[in-house]
Amino acid sequence: MDVSKKLVVGNWKMNGSLAGNAAFLEEVTKSAGFGCAMAICVPFPYLAQASHLLSSASEIALGAQNVSEFDEGAYTGEVSARMLSDLGCSYVIVGHSERRTLFREDDGTVGRKARAALGVGLLPIVCVGETLAQRNDGVTLEVVTRQLDAVAAEVDGLAVDRVVLAYEPVWAIGSGLTATTEQVGEVHASIRVWAQRVFGGGVATKILYGGSVKPGNAAELFAVPNVDGGLIGGASLVARDFLAICRAAADY
Ligand code: PEP
């Protein structure tokens, strides 16, 4: 991972089709060569297709959206970190708020998934963030720190530059609501201090912002101190929009 460049990661969530993916990836690979690092996290069934289509564009990394906390064995329906690595993934998202809420993943599970990823050389993108109720109660920083501490407890001793952190306020995901630059700046500064304290070299840790990032707001979000890039949901489904966000990230 190049720590000097911003990182823009697309999260397609449960979207895509063989034909649509091929058109998207062709457009993105044609235009790649940006001054930012890029990754696209696709649904499991499309990993092999995307791996093949991205093989000519070495600056665009492949990622998955989830991983099993277990290494192998009798876990029907699970996908292991080793399998993701086999398919050419470099990244995997863990602890996305949709998985925490809809699939009841707790902090410990998220930490174990991050550990499983690191164990095979994948870079986990660990998502943290508060709900609207938690923000209104004034406990945003406590919630985020608790989620981070749970991961640190599992990945203790592993290299700081191999974990990507993503601050994603739950209320801003897919809602069209974006955190203000002040709100983003406050949480990212707090995560940076946490990374320095816990990992002992937090400057190397990439901290992404996610939550309704669009071509129109990407530049101002990427200008906030301690924002090292973005995790992009909805806008990563449209090649033109995703590329515009990558261009905004390349300006720094
Ligand atoms: C996400 O899914 O991680 C996300 C940030 O979604 P959106 O950009 O659509 O808010």
Side-chain angles (χ1 to χ4, degrees), residues 11 13 96 98 168 172-175 210-214 231-235:
N11 172 17
K13 311 194 189 200
H96 191 282
E98 287 154 16
E168 298 210 303
I173 296 176
S175 63
S212 298
V213 179
K214 306 265 180 276
L231 181 52
I232 319 299

Side-chain angles (χ1 to χ4, degrees), residues 3 6 17 23 38 68 73 83 90 92 94 110 123 143 145 166 181 187 197 201-203 215 220 228 231 250:
V3 292
K6 293 217 190 277
S17 65
M38 295 164 70
S68 176
M83 294 170 186
S90 308
V92 60
V94 299
V110 175
L123 302 166
V143 169
T145 304
T181 51
V187 179
R197 178 169 55 79
V203 179
E220 66 168 347
D228 302 315
L231 181 52

Side-chain angles (χ1 to χ4, degrees), residues 91-124:
Y91 292 93
V92 60
I93 298 170
V94 299
H96 191 282
S97 69
E98 287 154 16
R99 297 223 52 92
R100 290 179 189 262
T101 309
L102 302 173
F103 302 99
R104 303 217 159 77
E105 289 187 8
D106 60 17
D107 289 340
T109 307
V110 175
R112 289 190 294 279
K113 289 184 172 201
R115 185 179 60 191
L118 287 165
V120 301
L122 290 174
L123 302 166

